[in-house]
């Protein structure tokens, strides 16, 4: 809804205001020039009026040359008294030696016979040049004009300075007259500007009236009301514009009726379709969306209409409107802004005129959530198996190769190696069963096979297998493997904890494998085991790449990889740490990581621990 336009906001007022401001500016410029000129002329005339006449100067020169000083001073006093100029407030006559010889001001006649203290007078006597200045006296708040004229003795070949005349005149009359003119001119300018503003308002109303009527008509058209016509006042540009608005109103009404009829037919067809349908204009803004598409995207038609299809489908980071126009390929949508884990298949087609001009896009949405879920679970299972079986298979390979290379002939080593191989085979079978029951673990339906074990021995047993793989790899010349060292830092106290041995081995294997993958050649992997008040903590530190701090909160998410390219190249799937977290949480423990990018990572496993007395252990056995 349009807000009411105030008079001072209208173009009617703005035209008049601009005209009045221009008129006022012109008056200001003319007034400034006029006043400055007037002031300059008045000052010039004032200075001429206060100058000593030539005959007065001659009389003063004659008296200054007289030998009898007292008689000469009396005559100088008479000369000064005869000067009748109301503008002059003070006249002093000084001889060539700087002695005051005459003063017209009765109050200052006591200074006659004394040396003049004014430096300007001394400078005039010395240089023989005229001096003048305008000064402001703060005591009486007045302006004065001061003129000092040298007196020359012209009776001879050389002009000799015999004295000077000091004149001080009051300038207030000049400035008062100029101020009176300024007040008169300013008053006239304001009156003329006001009259000009009133006339400009009357003139501008004739210009803005047809514009205002056209504005009202276009507002009615925007509301869907095509009745009414703009009155044409003449054949000028405004009259032609008014006629064009009238023609536009009629054309828009016809086009709107045809469009509404087509839209009703199209809405009826789309409402009965089983797939979601979205239609856009050439710019990708949604113009039509049916109920099935709104249900799939969990949006309302009014909320997404006129929005970009890239934003509604959440594909702006991957595609542009031009790419959708040029390549109508299928797109899988699995990152929608909905509350459901839904995957849609989007098929795009072009809307074209007979001339081939593209006017929009049609998108058909198919729900493929169930199909994608089945495919994803199958891929997850295969990836999980490939990742989790790698360590036991590598360990078995090391022992079998050792047996194949002659260890089977050693009656002490061969049985131990065969036993380890058998145990690893059994553990692989149990591990496969655990992977197959991963979904049950998420639902909390998995039961742990708890047994009381010495965590020192269990941790050491796991690390011994990695030492065996390291020793075997170093002796194997057929392939180049990474060199690393496992450092143990265990507490001497036996730590008896109730755990599911196979699952704890699985967790440590996952973390050790990651430490080996990302450790540099020749790196040290430090494994620690310590006891706190009511927990036992295992930690595994590497000297590898480390992780950015922003990645630490996601590291235990399923299929999450910090460095996807490196993880895939080394066989990682992103499931190992997620499984480890679930296993530790089933034991009511906690797993976390501390990492510095470029310096390595440390994984911590905290398990609940209750200290057992030796007698308690024997009773349980």
């Amino acid at each position: 809804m349009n807000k009411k336009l105030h008079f001072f906001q209208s173009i009617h007022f703005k035209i008049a205001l601009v005209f009045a401001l221009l008129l006022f500016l012109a008056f200001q410029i003319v007034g400034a020039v006029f006043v400055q000129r007037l002031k300059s002329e008045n000052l010039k005339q004032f200075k001429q009026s206060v100058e000593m006449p030539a005959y007065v100067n001659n009389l003063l020169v004659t008296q200054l040359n007289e030998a009898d000083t007292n008689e000469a001073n009396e005559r100088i006093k008479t000369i000064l008294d005869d000067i009748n100029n109301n503008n002059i407030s003070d006249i002093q006559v000084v001889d060539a030696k700087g002695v005051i010889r005459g003063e017209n001001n009765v109050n200052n006649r006591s200074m006659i016979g004394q040396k003049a203290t004014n430096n300007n007078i001394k400078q005039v006597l010395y240089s023989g040049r005229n001096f003048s200045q305008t000064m402001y006296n703060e005591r009486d708040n007045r302006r004065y004009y001061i003129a000092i004229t040298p007196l020359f003795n012209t009776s001879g070949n050389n002009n000799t300075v015999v004295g000077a005349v000091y004149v001080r005149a009051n300038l207030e009359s000049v400035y008062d007259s100029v101020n009176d003119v300024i007040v008169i001119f300013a008053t006239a300018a304001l009156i003329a500007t006001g009259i000009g503003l009133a006339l400009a308002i009357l003139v501008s109303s004739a210009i803005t009236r047809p514009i205002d009527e056209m504005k009202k008509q276009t507002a009615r058209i925007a509301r869907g009301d095509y009745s009414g016509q703009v009155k044409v006042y003449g054949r000028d540009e405004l009259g032609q514009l008014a006629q064009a608005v009238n023609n536009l109103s009629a054309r828009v009404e016809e086009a709107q009726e045809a469009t509404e009829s087509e839209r009703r037919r199209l809405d009826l067809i789309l409402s009965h379709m089983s797939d979601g349908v979205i239609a856009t204009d050439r710019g990708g803004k949604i113009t039509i969306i049916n109920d099935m598409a709104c249900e799939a995207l969990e949006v309302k038609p009014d909320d997404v209409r006129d929005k970009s299809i890239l934003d509604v489908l959440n594909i702006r980071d991957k595609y542009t409107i031009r790419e959708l126009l040029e390549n109508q390929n299928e797109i899988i949508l699995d990152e929608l802004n909905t509350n459901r884990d839904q995957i849609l298949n989007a098929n795009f087609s072009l809307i074209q005129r007979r001339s081939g001009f593209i006017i929009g896009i049609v998108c058909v949405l198919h729900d493929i959530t169930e199909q994608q879920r089945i495919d994803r679970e199958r891929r997850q299972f295969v990836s999980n198996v490939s990742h989790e079986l790698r360590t036991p298979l590598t360990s078995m390979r090391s022992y079998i190769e050792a047996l194949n290379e002659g260890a089977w002939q050693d009656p002490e080593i061969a049985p131990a190696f065969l036993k380890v191989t058998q145990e690893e085979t059994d553990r692989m079978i149990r591990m496969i069963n655990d992977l197959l029951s991963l979904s049950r673990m998420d639902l909390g339906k998995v039961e742990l096979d708890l047994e009381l074990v010495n965590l020192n021995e269990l941790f050491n047993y796991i690390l011994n297998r990695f030492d065996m793989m390291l020793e075997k790899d170093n002796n194997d010349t057929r392939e180049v493997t990474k060199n690393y060292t496992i450092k143990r830092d265990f507490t001497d106290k036996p730590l008896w904890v109730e755990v599911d041995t196979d699952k704890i081995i699985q967790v440590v294997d996952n973390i050790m494998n990651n430490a080996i993958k990302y450790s540099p050649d020749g790196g040290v992997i430090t494994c620690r085991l310590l006891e706190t008040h009511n927990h036992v903590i295992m930690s595994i530190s590497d000297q590898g790449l480390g992780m950015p701090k922003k990645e630490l909160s996601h590291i235990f998410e399923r299929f999450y990889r910090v460095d996807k390219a490196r993880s895939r190249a080394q066989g990682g799937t992103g499931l190992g740490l997620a499984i480890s977290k679930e296993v530790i949480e089933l034991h009511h423990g906690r797993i976390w990581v501390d990492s510095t990018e470029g310096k390595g990572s440390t994984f911590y496993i905290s398990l609940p621990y209750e200290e057992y007395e030796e007698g308690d252990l024997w009773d349980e056995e």
Side-chain angles (χ1 to χ4, degrees):
M1 183 177 181
N2 293 331
K3 296 182 179 179
K4 184 178 179 180
L5 192 65
H6 298 286
F7 172 74
F8 297 104
Q9 298 174 327
S10 65
I11 191 174
H12 184 186
F13 175 75
K14 291 177 181 178
I15 293 175
L17 180 62
V18 170
F19 178 79
L21 290 176
L22 290 175
L23 184 62
F24 184 74
L25 181 62
F27 276 120
Q28 291 297 314
I29 294 174
V30 172
V33 174
F34 173 75
V35 169
Q36 188 64 29
R37 183 69 177 177
L38 177 64
K39 178 181 176 182
S40 177
E41 290 295 328
N42 285 354
L43 286 174
K44 183 179 178 181
Q45 293 177 5
F46 180 84
K47 292 176 182 179
Q48 291 176 354
S49 67
V50 298
E51 288 181 355
M52 292 291 99
Y55 75 91
V56 173
N57 289 340
N58 293 332
L59 292 175
L60 293 175
V61 169
T62 301
Q63 299 305 320
L64 290 175
N65 288 327
E66 289 290 336
D68 190 351
T69 304
N70 293 329
E71 185 178 351
N73 289 346
E74 288 296 326
R75 292 176 181 175
I76 291 174
K77 174 180 175 299
T78 303
I79 295 172
L80 296 180
D81 290 340
D82 292 339
I83 297 174
N84 186 17
N85 193 329
N86 295 328
N87 292 326
I88 298 175
S89 60
D90 189 16
I91 303 176
Q92 282 185 0
V93 178
V94 182
D95 61 15
K97 295 179 181 180
V99 178
I100 299 175
R101 301 287 299 276
E103 173 67 54
N104 74 326
N105 192 334
V106 177
N107 297 327
N108 296 331
R109 285 180 178 175
S110 61
M111 299 172 58
I112 296 175
Q114 298 179 9
K115 282 280 188 177
T117 59
N118 194 318
N119 292 328
N120 294 325
I121 296 176
K122 296 178 181 179
Q123 186 66 27
V124 170
L125 293 173
Y126 177 77
S127 63
R129 296 179 181 177
N130 293 331
F131 172 82
S132 64
Q133 72 172 23
T134 300
M135 62 171 290
Y136 176 75
N137 192 335
E138 294 182 354
R139 289 181 300 176
D140 55 6
N141 195 24
R142 291 183 177 182
R143 295 180 179 86
Y144 292 96
Y145 171 72
I146 296 175
I148 304 175
T149 305
L151 300 175
F152 295 96
N153 185 6
T154 59
S155 62
N157 296 329
N158 297 324
N159 290 334
T160 304
V161 176
V162 297
V165 177
Y166 171 87
V167 177
R168 187 177 70 173
N170 191 349
L171 284 172
E172 290 303 316
S173 60
V174 176
Y175 281 93
D176 288 344
S177 63
V178 172
N179 290 335
D180 292 341
V181 172
I182 291 176
V183 171
I184 295 172
F185 190 88
T187 303
L190 290 175
I191 294 173
T193 302
I195 296 173
L197 178 61
L199 293 176
I201 291 175
L202 295 176
V203 173
S204 63
S205 63
I207 300 174
T208 58
R209 187 184 302 113
I211 296 177
D212 185 61
E213 292 184 5
M214 285 185 282
K215 181 198 72 173
K216 294 178 181 178
Q217 178 63 17
T218 54
R220 286 194 294 267
I221 294 174
R223 295 194 300 267
D225 181 8
Y226 304 101
S227 61
Q229 295 285 316
V230 179
K231 183 177 180 180
V232 180
Y233 288 93
R235 297 181 177 274
D236 56 5
E237 290 83 353
L238 290 176
Q240 295 175 3
L241 180 59
Q243 186 61 46
V245 171
N246 293 333
N247 296 336
L248 176 64
S249 177
R251 296 290 181 87
V252 171
E253 183 178 9
E254 295 174 0
Q256 186 68 20
E257 291 178 354
T259 302
E260 288 297 328
S261 178
E262 292 295 330
R263 184 179 292 276
R264 285 193 294 270
R265 285 199 296 266
L266 182 60
D267 290 343
L268 185 62
I269 295 172
L270 293 177
S271 62
H272 291 83
M273 292 186 64
S274 58
D275 291 329
V277 177
I278 302 175
T280 73
D281 57 15
R282 181 174 174 81
K285 293 185 177 180
I286 296 176
T287 56
I288 299 173
I289 183 170
N290 68 347
D291 295 338
M292 292 300 297
C294 291
E295 181 180 352
L297 299 174
E298 294 185 355
V299 296
K300 296 180 180 179
D302 295 338
D303 294 338
V304 299
R305 192 165 286 119
D306 293 333
K307 286 188 176 181
S308 174
I309 191 173
L310 300 178
D311 296 326
V312 175
L313 299 181
N314 197 22
I315 58 174
R316 180 173 290 278
D317 296 337
K318 300 178 181 179
Y319 301 94
T320 62
I321 295 298
R322 179 177 292 275
E323 290 175 347
L324 296 181
L325 293 173
E326 294 176 352
N327 301 307
Q328 296 84 49
N329 298 326
E330 294 183 357
I331 298 177
I332 303 299
L333 306 176
D334 57 355
E335 296 180 358
L336 298 171
N337 296 323
T338 63
N339 297 323
R340 299 179 294 175
D341 294 332
Q342 189 177 31
I343 301 176
L344 301 177
N345 184 14
N347 294 278
F348 295 90
S349 300
L350 300 179
I351 305 175
Q352 294 178 299
R353 294 177 180 171
R354 292 182 180 180
S355 60
F357 181 76
I358 300 174
I359 60 175
I361 305 172
V362 172
C363 175
V364 180
L365 302 176
H366 300 279
D367 190 346
I368 58 172
T369 305
E370 186 64 21
Q371 177 185 350
Q372 290 291 317
R373 185 186 65 80
I374 296 173
D375 292 342
R376 183 171 61 252
E377 288 182 354
R378 183 175 64 252
R379 290 192 300 269
Q380 289 176 357
F381 175 75
V382 173
S383 298
N384 204 1
V385 170
S386 300
H387 178 72
E388 300 300 334
L389 294 182
R390 181 168 180 257
T391 298
L393 286 174
T394 303
S395 178
M396 289 177 57
R397 176 187 173 189
S398 300
Y399 283 105
I400 292 173
E401 287 183 353
L403 291 170
N404 189 40
E405 292 176 359
W408 64 273
Q409 297 177 355
D410 191 331
E412 295 182 359
I413 297 178
F417 280 16
L418 290 174
K419 182 180 180 181
V420 172
T421 304
Q422 183 179 1
E423 290 176 353
E424 293 298 326
T425 303
D426 294 339
R427 194 165 68 84
M428 280 194 298
I429 295 174
R430 292 193 300 271
M431 192 181 301
I432 292 174
N433 292 332
D434 289 341
L435 290 173
L436 292 175
S437 62
L438 184 61
S439 60
R440 297 200 308 271
M441 189 182 300
D442 292 336
L443 298 174
K445 296 181 179 180
V446 175
E447 295 182 1
L448 297 176
D449 185 11
L450 299 176
E451 57 180 323
L452 193 63
V453 298
N454 188 345
L455 200 59
N456 304 61
E457 296 180 358
L458 178 60
F459 200 6
N460 198 53
Y461 164 77
I462 299 171
L463 299 180
N464 286 340
R465 293 188 296 106
F466 283 94
D467 284 336
M468 175 61 70
M469 291 190 304
L470 172 62
E471 182 180 350
K472 183 60 183 175
D473 289 339
N474 291 337
N475 295 330
D476 192 349
T477 58
R478 291 171 298 176
E479 56 179 294
V480 179
T481 58
K482 183 184 295 184
N483 236 340
Y484 61 92
T485 302
I486 298 177
K487 179 182 177 182
R488 294 168 173 80
D489 185 6
F490 292 179
T491 178
D492 295 333
K493 178 181 177 181
L495 301 175
W496 294 90
V497 184
E498 277 193 325
V499 295
D500 189 323
T501 306
D502 292 334
K503 287 182 170 55
I504 294 299
I505 291 175
Q506 178 183 354
V507 170
V508 177
D509 283 348
N510 286 334
I511 297 176
M512 284 295 298
N513 279 325
N514 287 335
I516 293 171
K517 287 177 189 176
Y518 297 109
S519 290
D521 194 16
V524 177
I525 300 174
T526 304
C527 301
R528 296 182 176 88
L529 180 61
L530 57 92
E531 171 199 4
T532 63
H533 177 63
N534 54 1
H535 284 81
V536 59
I537 298 177
M538 295 184 291
S539 67
I540 299 174
S541 303
D542 60 59
Q543 298 174 337
L545 300 175
M547 294 172 284
K549 290 193 178 297
K550 65 179 181 180
E551 309 286 351
L552 298 182
S553 59
H554 304 285
I555 194 65
F556 293 102
E557 295 178 3
R558 295 183 181 182
F559 303 103
Y560 187 83
R561 303 179 183 88
V562 177
D563 188 347
K564 296 180 175 58
R566 183 179 177 91
S567 298
R568 288 183 179 133
Q570 296 184 353
T573 63
L575 277 175
L577 293 178
I579 294 175
S580 300
K581 182 180 179 181
E582 292 191 10
V583 169
I584 297 302
E585 289 179 351
L586 284 175
H587 284 82
H588 305 289
R590 191 166 70 93
I591 183 171
W592 71 96
V593 62
D594 185 14
S595 181
T596 301
E597 193 170 5
K599 294 184 179 181
S601 304
T602 300
F603 284 85
Y604 298 90
I605 300 172
S606 175
L607 295 173
Y609 170 67
E610 182 179 353
E611 187 173 357
Y612 290 92
E613 297 294 337
E614 186 175 355
D616 296 335
L617 296 175
W618 285 108
D619 290 341
E620 290 181 5
E621 293 179 359

